[in-house]
Amino acid sequence: MSDAPNKLDKTYSPQEIEARQYDRWERSGAFASDVGSNAVPYTVMMPPPNVTGSLHMGHALNHTIQDILVRWERMRGRDALWQPGTDHAGIATQMVVERQLGEQGKSRKDLGREAFVARVWEWKAESGGMITRQLRRLGDSTDWSRERFTMDEGLSAAVLKVFVELYRQGLIYKDKRLVNWDLKLETAISDLEVQPRETKGNLWYFRYPVEGEAGRFITVATTRPETMLGDTAVAVHPEDPRYIDLVGRFCVLPLVGRRIAIVADEYADPAQGSGAVKITPAHDFNDFEVGRRHGLEMISVIDLQGRINENAPEKYRGLDRFEARKLVVADMEAAELLEKVEPHTHMVPFGDRGGVPIEPLLTEQWYADAATLAKPAIEAVETGRTRFVPEAATKTYYDWMRNIQPWCISRQLWWGHRIPAWYGPDGEIFVAYDDAEAAALAEKHYGKAVPLERDPDVLDTWFSSALWPFSTLGWPEDRPEVARYYPGDVLVTGWDILFFWVARMMMMGIHFMGEVPFRTVYLHGLVRDQHGQKMSKSKGNVMDPLDLIEKYGADALRFMFASASAVGGRDVKVSDARVEGYRNFATKLWNAARFCEMNGCAPKPGFEPLFVKQTVNRWIVGKTAETGRQVDAALGEYRFNEAAAALYQFTWGTFCDWYIEFAKPVLLGDDAAAKAETQATAAWTLGRILVLLHPFMPFVTEELAEKLGYGHPHGLIRAAWPEWDDALVDAGAAAEMDWVIRFVSEIRGVRSEMNVPPGAKIEALLQGASGETLRRLDTNRDLVSRLARLETVAPLAGDPPKGAVQVVVDECTIVLPLAGVIDIAAERARLEREIGKIDGEIRKIDGKLGNEAFVAKAPREVVEEQQERREDFTATRERLQAALARLLTGDD
């Protein structure tokens, strides 16, 4: 990259800068890790986005945080590997290709399995790289030369080895259990792929006759009448006095005539419905557990297509489950066993891809023994080998892992890793690495060669994703990358996949590598709209990060995410206005750089900030060092918002608004030595700002460093991160210039509050000023007078004049006679009117927040918005009250 400075354009244009800078980084190898390096490695594993996907707000937040960390550590001299890749996303990808076939009037079954899978690979080759191209727009400095795909040859070999080994260790097995069954896709799906939706329905109260006691019934309430055909018990609470005498007895299941037990179980809630609960173990997850506790029969009455099967009475067989519901209710009513019907709004689980209510079904699937695998993963967090940020996630992790259920790892799809199991003629299972090994195992078992049938199912997408931290490095081959980059340093991900992905990586990593996959897990919140509402197409509030990048630049979007990312995993609110605000920040930086360029503030080789003499220069050097330390401390603790705030305040406030103003008289003056020192100091400070800001805003900082001739041979991206000498901070210079800022700011605040015309010069009188204050004033009189627009500034003789406003800075009271500049009475009336308006707004909000019904029923984000508005109004009121108090004080 060239050392020769080029004149900066008048306006900052991210669209012109970003593509060019990214291309240069990538072509130069700036993102590459070096397995042979002597530097300390730093590993971050990218959560692999779906190959079907496009960049959404969650990706943009997640990748911004990762990129900040990677760029920071790379500049600190570490060998950074940010491992990229994409996930084959079994269900999502299969659906995309099936939709394409549907548009041609075909189905996957028309093609057959082999041809369909080939078609998916074709689609992946054509469209699968879209999201990685979009991640480049965001600025991802990931090592693209190492990009992996969860179904590439190497990762497939890892999946095969893990499955076979776990099976042979007894940690993978087949079992018949309840699963979330998506009737549209005809496959089991994970809990993550289930979306509860609030649905208006009914609660039907059915009366079941008690056996041996004519005229006595036990009433159960249900939202799913059709499942009663598979009831095998009624449960009551063991301490419910209404039913104690019925425990251990039987009732008769209406419409079926089956005798079913009345059992005592704490699952039954005496306060809900009738207190008695119908138990259908084959169609409800809670009922399944009750059934196992009491050894109940599990009767499945709904088939894989959602129709009533042969286990139900003949008149219902073949009916769709919802048609059967209507008929069951009608028949119960005809039998005078329908006690009542109540409208009932409840949460119904829907498949997020299929879009229909899921059916809990009893099916035979492949399972991993998650409980056994979880034990060392729990111990690893208990002993601190892996920590969670925020700490609160640790308890959530423990709660899940200590109560973990068997992990259903099979899916009834065609796209994915095919389960390496073959079945003999009698159903005997042979798990092997390939057909030949399976045939050999079968021949040994049967004593002769027999035909085998391959299991048609594929593995859950999360199974291959669980291996990501080591499979991407070349495991199971003995590769140097595995030894160097495993375990990783930090995983950045969202709370929503803490269990589905993070926990499973912990289990698999420890089991196969003997060590945790990452030392720190940083969990961020969700991205919401400006009102705190979840983004959804139905609400019409979905924002596209690519649109925001196009309008405001990637740097602005990135800095917005950093500014909003507080430890604690709080959700991030996004709006056009917030991103535009950080675009303005980039513009402010650009304009400050142009000022430096036009005033000869060029980087000076050999410049030593320790030896500057001018007070203003000693001050800015110290402030730069303090900011650098704040950024280091904040990033070290994943407090991205604090790091961003320190950089924003220093760059915009301290450097652009104050230092440049302080420096102007020197740069325009006749003292050649002071001017040269100030030019070099300004350039040094700007250079440090560019370095510190680079992980957050890489594009604009790289462009400025290049064009202003900062001479980083491999670009700013490979520049050394600064270290800060204690001697850079001059306490005396800091105290003096901070006093100037406070003095000027207080007077500017009064001018603004009192509507003093901008061009009007006013008088300032000092009361009670110490000798040090008078010395500071004398040294900086011209600066203070120019920046505060003062006609004169002098000690006060006698009492303050009438119609003056007073403000205090340290021990000194500044008296500002304004009676001749503004109408004091009119200004007092204006302030009182403004306070009155705000009082009215606060009363309205207090009325809402004091209404228990509003707080209980309103969405959380609406209540939070009202609370935030009250805080804003309160702060404004306090500011106006202070202004009014100052005005009254001066007039009394």
Side-chain angles (χ1 to χ4, degrees), residues 619-628 650 684-685 688 692 724:
W619 167 75
I620 196 63
V621 164
K623 290 294 183 185
T624 305
E626 288 174 355
T627 302
F650 175 71
W684 176 86
T685 304
R688 288 296 182 264
L692 293 173
W724 308 101

Side-chain angles (χ1 to χ4, degrees), residues 47-53 85-97 117 120-121 123-124 128 148-152 155-156 159 193 353 409 411 413-418 458-468:
N50 288 353
V51 72
T52 58
T86 49
D87 195 297
H88 66 279
I91 291 176
T93 306
Q94 180 159 319
M95 280 190 67
V96 168
V97 179
V117 170
V120 181
W121 277 109
W123 178 87
K124 190 265 178 187
R148 303 301 298 269
F149 176 54
T150 49
M151 280 182 61
D152 69 27
L155 269 65
S156 295
V159 169
E193 293 152 331
R353 304 283 181 185
I409 58 174
R411 297 290 182 267
L413 303 170
W414 286 358
W415 172 246
H417 293 100
R418 186 90 174 259
V458 299
L459 286 163
D460 175 16
T461 297
W462 298 105
F463 191 90
S464 49
S465 299
L467 317 182
W468 189 252

Side-chain angles (χ1 to χ4, degrees), residues 619-764:
W619 167 75
I620 196 63
V621 164
K623 290 294 183 185
T624 305
E626 288 174 355
T627 302
R629 286 174 173 168
Q630 288 172 352
V631 171
D632 280 339
L635 287 180
E637 290 298 321
Y638 304 97
R639 299 193 305 269
F640 300 96
N641 61 322
E642 292 181 20
L647 285 167
Y648 185 92
Q649 290 159 11
F650 175 71
T651 303
W652 190 305
T654 307
F655 182 70
C656 296
D657 284 352
W658 291 110
Y659 177 72
I660 285 178
E661 288 301 320
F662 292 161
K664 280 178 181 177
V666 183
L667 295 172
L668 298 173
D670 298 326
D671 186 333
K675 179 177 181 178
E677 179 189 286
T678 301
Q679 288 172 325
T681 303
W684 176 86
T685 304
L686 177 60
R688 288 296 182 264
I689 287 172
L690 297 180
V691 171
L692 293 173
L693 268 175
H694 180 76
F696 301 82
M697 306 180 85
F699 293 107
V700 67
T701 53
E702 188 74 87
E703 182 79 3
L704 290 172
E706 176 197 340
K707 289 201 168 178
L708 294 178
Y710 275 89
H712 301 296
H714 304 292
L716 189 59
I717 190 172
R718 289 285 191 178
W721 192 257
E723 295 183 358
W724 308 101
D725 191 324
D726 290 343
L728 290 173
V729 179
D730 182 324
E736 180 159 324
M737 298 315 297
D738 286 349
W739 175 86
V740 171
I741 290 171
R742 291 199 308 278
F743 191 95
V744 171
S745 296
E746 287 290 348
I747 296 173
R748 283 179 171 178
V750 168
R751 294 180 67 110
S752 173
E753 289 165 358
M754 302 301 173
N755 283 333
V756 174
K761 288 194 171 184
I762 60 175
E763 183 183 4

Side-chain angles (χ1 to χ4, degrees), residues 180 189-195 285 400 411 500:
N180 299 307
I189 59 175
S190 73
D191 289 343
L192 188 64
E193 293 152 331
V194 174
Q195 290 182 337
F285 288 98
W400 173 267
R411 297 290 182 267
F500 296 97

Side-chain angles (χ1 to χ4, degrees), residues 54 78 118 121 123 134 379 381 397 494 517 522 550 569 647 678 684 722 734 777 842 853 874 878 892:
S54 60
R78 296 183 69 176
W121 277 109
W123 178 87
Q134 293 173 339
E379 189 266 343
V381 176
Y397 173 82
Y522 175 84
E550 197 61 40
L647 285 167
T678 301
W684 176 86
L777 174 63
I842 290 174
T874 301
E878 288 172 356
D892 286 348

Side-chain angles (χ1 to χ4, degrees), residues 221-453:
T222 180
T223 58
R224 303 196 62 209
E226 67 278 10
T227 64
M228 71 165 288
L229 301 171
D231 285 359
T232 56
V234 170
V236 297
H237 194 276
E239 296 176 7
D240 190 334
R242 294 172 292 180
Y243 304 117
I244 286 175
D245 68 314
L246 290 178
V247 173
R249 294 175 61 183
F250 294 86
C251 59
V252 178
L253 181 62
L255 310 183
V256 179
R258 187 165 59 244
R259 183 172 176 260
I260 61 175
I262 299 171
V263 300
D265 196 284
E266 291 186 353
Y267 168 62
D269 183 351
Q272 291 290 321
S274 66
V277 185
K278 60 187 282 299
I279 302 299
T280 321
H283 292 287
D284 181 277
F285 288 98
N286 291 314
D287 292 6
F288 179 79
E289 296 301 327
V290 175
R292 289 209 308 181
R293 285 196 290 272
H294 296 276
L296 301 176
E297 189 179 1
M298 301 198 179
I299 301 174
S300 180
V301 293
I302 298 175
D303 68 14
L304 300 180
Q305 287 75 42
R307 298 186 296 262
I308 304 301
N309 67 16
E310 70 282 357
N311 295 327
E314 189 173 351
K315 72 178 294 186
Y316 305 104
R317 293 174 192 170
L319 291 177
D320 173 80
R321 53 186 172 157
F322 297 120
E323 289 300 315
R325 176 180 297 181
K326 296 174 187 174
L327 186 55
V328 165
V329 171
D331 288 349
M332 288 294 283
E333 186 171 21
E336 298 184 348
L337 295 174
L338 175 62
E339 187 173 291
K340 61 178 177 177
V341 184
E342 292 177 348
H344 182 66
T345 299
H346 61 131
M347 303 305 288
V348 173
F350 279 72
D352 67 343
R353 304 283 181 185
V356 298
I358 67 105
E359 186 64 50
L361 285 185
L362 199 58
T363 62
E364 191 171 46
Q365 302 280 352
W366 287 92
Y367 287 89
D369 182 354
T372 298
L373 291 167
K375 286 174 185 173
I378 294 168
E379 189 266 343
V381 176
E382 289 173 336
T383 56
R385 285 153 61 204
T386 293
R387 73 174 181 124
F388 287 94
V389 180
E391 172 65 26
T394 308
K395 181 181 182 302
T396 310
Y397 173 82
Y398 287 150
D399 288 346
W400 173 267
M401 295 290 271
R402 287 168 180 160
N403 296 286
I404 199 163
Q405 297 296 306
W407 172 15
C408 177
I409 58 174
S410 48
R411 297 290 182 267
Q412 290 64 55
L413 303 170
W414 286 358
W415 172 246
H417 293 100
R418 186 90 174 259
I419 288 176
W422 287 258
Y423 299 95
D426 58 356
E428 183 71 24
I429 300 172
F430 302 96
V431 169
Y433 284 97
D434 54 31
D435 294 329
E437 187 188 15
L441 290 172
E443 187 169 352
K444 183 179 178 182
H445 175 78
Y446 292 109
K448 61 178 180 178
V450 296
L452 297 178
E453 187 176 334

Side-chain angles (χ1 to χ4, degrees), residues 53-287:
S54 60
L55 187 69
H56 60 62
M57 280 296 186
H59 290 131
L61 167 62
N62 179 269
H63 284 249
T64 294
I65 291 170
Q66 290 178 83
D67 197 44
I68 289 170
L69 290 171
V70 169
R71 287 177 183 268
W72 180 51
E73 293 290 3
R74 187 187 288 125
M75 295 171 83
R76 292 173 81 196
R78 296 183 69 176
D79 171 32
L81 167 61
W82 186 8
Q83 174 63 55
T86 49
D87 195 297
H88 66 279
I91 291 176
T93 306
Q94 180 159 319
M95 280 190 67
V96 168
V97 179
E98 286 202 64
R99 237 185 341 259
Q100 293 172 352
L101 289 173
E103 290 167 3
Q104 301 167 16
K106 297 178 182 177
S107 74
R108 64 183 164 111
K109 291 173 183 174
D110 293 331
L111 269 67
R113 183 168 193 146
E114 192 174 324
F116 176 77
V117 170
R119 181 71 173 263
V120 181
W121 277 109
E122 283 176 24
W123 178 87
K124 190 265 178 187
E126 291 170 13
S127 307
M130 180 173 70
I131 192 164
T132 56
R133 291 191 295 273
Q134 293 173 339
L135 292 172
R136 287 169 165 87
R137 293 284 307 278
L138 187 65
D140 275 20
S141 64
T142 188
D143 189 348
W144 294 113
S145 68
R146 298 185 50 86
E147 185 176 353
R148 303 301 298 269
F149 176 54
T150 49
M151 280 182 61
D152 69 27
E153 190 175 330
L155 269 65
S156 295
V159 169
L160 183 60
K161 182 176 176 65
V162 166
F163 187 96
V164 173
E165 286 200 11
L166 288 178
Y167 178 80
R168 291 175 181 175
Q169 293 164 7
L171 295 172
I172 282 181
Y173 57 92
K174 289 200 85 171
D175 194 10
K176 197 168 188 178
R177 296 175 58 90
L178 274 192
V179 295
N180 299 307
W181 187 262
D182 190 307
L183 291 161
K184 186 169 182 180
L185 302 175
E186 293 187 33
T187 180
I189 59 175
S190 73
D191 289 343
L192 188 64
E193 293 152 331
V194 174
Q195 290 182 337
R197 297 185 193 171
E198 190 172 84
T199 305
K200 290 182 179 179
N202 289 316
L203 197 58
W204 287 271
Y205 288 78
F206 291 158
R207 295 190 296 166
Y208 290 7
V210 175
E211 184 185 60
E213 198 170 343
R216 187 175 181 186
F217 301 90
I218 186 166
T219 300
V220 298
T222 180
T223 58
R224 303 196 62 209
E226 67 278 10
T227 64
M228 71 165 288
L229 301 171
D231 285 359
T232 56
V234 170
V236 297
H237 194 276
E239 296 176 7
D240 190 334
R242 294 172 292 180
Y243 304 117
I244 286 175
D245 68 314
L246 290 178
V247 173
R249 294 175 61 183
F250 294 86
C251 59
V252 178
L253 181 62
L255 310 183
V256 179
R258 187 165 59 244
R259 183 172 176 260
I260 61 175
I262 299 171
V263 300
D265 196 284
E266 291 186 353
Y267 168 62
D269 183 351
Q272 291 290 321
S274 66
V277 185
K278 60 187 282 299
I279 302 299
T280 321
H283 292 287
D284 181 277
F285 288 98
N286 291 314
D287 292 6

